[in-house]
Amino acid sequence: MSPTLRPRRGRPRSASGGSRSRWLRSPKVTIGSLMLVIFVLLAVFGPMVAPHAPDWQASTLDNVPHPPSAQFWLGTDVQQHDLFSQLLAGGRDTLLIAFVAGIVATVLSVLVGVSAGYLGGKADEVLSILTNIFLALPGLLILMVVMKMMPDSDTGNPLLIGAVIALSAWAWGARVLRAQTLALRSQDYVESARVIGEGRSRIILFEILPNLLPILASSFIFTVIYGVGAYASLAWLGLINPTNASWGTMLNTAQQFSATTSGTWWWYGPPALCIAFVGIALALLNFGIDEIVNPRMRSTRRGLRNRGPRFQLGLTPVVRAEEGTRP
């Protein structure tokens, strides 16, 4: 009598569960997400928990910057501002502008890149020429010219500054999305949707865009990194309203009073480290997402982990044959 087969207890492993486990096992995604969450919380609650307002002065008579102490954790500048309070308040505008730039640039990339790749013909030629023009323009130089012409009241508007930065950051994503859309528009499921009479907008939204989500995520994170660097550069060059507390304005003030040559490291070091760590967090998150959603990188990493004998330059590898087998 043959034994009866009993069904296995427990819920079957789904594809979403496997994908979720890959996300949790990725150290880059974990570390990058943790660092980014810390800076987001700092940007949201930093101005609320700051000991003083950014323009608060401990004294109007002392013109000497003081090093970190128990009273002022990051010291003071020449005008006796509490640098720790400015650091806590400076992250809000920096991250807000960077994320606004990322959202606006991603929307423009989708509108231009996906439309050019799917429509083809004259529309593709016109949109490709527009994309190439923005790719050829020096982004930071254009931003400097635009910000110089804006009134001081507008240079303190985070939403407006983020939109201006996005205008110089959408072309790269549009080029990549166009290339991927050209490859997807000839797929069987797209042809089937076109045969049954689906409209262009519905095909783009429900057939093509879901397959572009990994590229959209990578493009968004890359643009946020660019937004952080661009805004910090504009503020460091003095093109942002100095009344806005940000890490870039702290660097600009430190440069004006020669903090780098006088050894006042507590003035320019903390904001520079914050900008660097935000960029590192976003870069780790971007690399981790790319490794998870890109099957080529997964297979390459798995092949490197499971490969056979390692070869070294200058040595001839010898594989020992098992007994009873001919070489």
Side-chain angles (χ1 to χ4, degrees):
M1 184 175 180
S2 61
T4 59
L5 297 177
R6 296 181 179 180
R8 294 180 61 185
R9 295 182 179 180
R11 300 175 63 182
R13 175 178 286 184
S14 60
S16 60
S19 177
R20 191 182 302 113
S21 64
R22 287 199 302 269
W23 284 84
L24 295 176
R25 288 198 306 264
S26 175
K28 295 179 182 179
V29 173
T30 303
I31 297 174
S33 301
L34 181 61
M35 293 175 62
L36 186 61
V37 167
I38 292 174
F39 280 105
V40 170
L41 293 177
L42 178 66
V44 174
F45 300 104
M48 303 178 187
V49 300
H52 307 286
D55 57 350
W56 177 84
Q57 291 179 283
S59 174
T60 57
L61 302 177
D62 191 359
N63 293 327
V64 178
H66 295 280
S69 61
Q71 183 180 4
F72 303 109
W73 290 3
L74 293 180
T76 62
D77 58 8
V78 172
Q79 300 173 344
Q80 297 303 303
H81 294 136
D82 183 17
L83 295 178
F84 180 67
S85 299
Q86 289 189 351
L87 187 73
L88 292 178
R92 175 174 293 182
D93 281 355
T94 303
L95 293 184
L96 177 60
I97 289 171
F99 278 99
V100 168
I103 294 172
V104 176
T106 303
V107 172
L108 292 176
S109 300
V110 171
L111 292 176
V112 176
V114 178
S115 300
Y118 181 77
L119 296 177
K122 295 294 184 181
D124 184 18
E125 293 181 5
V126 173
L127 294 177
S128 297
I129 292 174
L130 181 64
T131 303
N132 293 332
I133 291 175
F134 275 88
L135 282 174
L137 293 175
L140 185 58
L141 182 59
I142 297 300
L143 290 176
M144 292 172 57
V145 174
V146 174
M147 297 299 296
K148 194 67 176 179
M149 296 187 300
M150 294 172 59
D152 294 338
S153 58
D154 291 338
T155 57
N157 188 347
L159 299 179
L160 183 59
I161 297 174
V164 171
I165 293 176
L167 293 178
S168 64
W170 62 269
W172 179 84
R175 171 66 67 85
V176 176
L177 290 174
R178 173 186 175 274
Q180 293 297 321
T181 305
L182 286 173
L184 291 175
R185 71 176 184 178
S186 60
Q187 297 295 322
D188 294 338
Y189 59 89
V190 178
E191 292 293 340
S192 300
R194 190 182 297 113
V195 168
I196 64 176
E198 296 288 351
R200 291 179 176 177
S201 59
R202 185 174 179 82
I203 293 176
I204 291 175
L205 290 177
F206 295 98
E207 303 294 341
I208 294 179
L209 278 183
N211 294 281
L212 298 176
L213 289 180
I215 300 176
L216 289 176
S218 178
S219 177
F220 171 76
I221 296 176
F222 180 80
T223 310
V224 173
I225 298 175
Y226 172 78
V228 172
Y231 178 66
S233 300
L234 293 174
W236 177 64
L237 293 172
L239 300 175
I240 302 297
N241 193 338
T243 59
N244 283 34
S246 68
W247 298 331
T249 54
M250 293 179 66
L251 295 176
N252 174 258
T253 308
Q255 180 192 21
Q256 290 181 1
F257 289 95
S258 303
T260 55
T261 57
S262 61
T264 316
W265 57 266
W266 60 87
W267 195 345
Y268 61 86
L273 287 177
C274 286
I275 295 173
F277 282 132
V278 169
I280 292 173
L282 292 169
L284 287 175
L285 192 60
N286 192 13
F287 294 152
I289 292 175
D290 196 19
E291 288 182 357
I292 292 173
V293 302
N294 193 340
R296 293 182 179 178
M297 295 191 67
R298 287 206 308 269
S299 61
T300 301
R301 189 172 65 252
R302 192 180 302 114
L304 291 175
R305 191 167 54 242
N306 301 329
R307 64 184 179 180
R310 299 182 179 180
F311 300 98
Q312 185 176 355
L313 184 63
L315 296 179
T316 303
V318 178
V319 180
R320 182 178 298 174
E322 297 180 1
E323 296 182 0
T325 61
R326 297 180 61 184

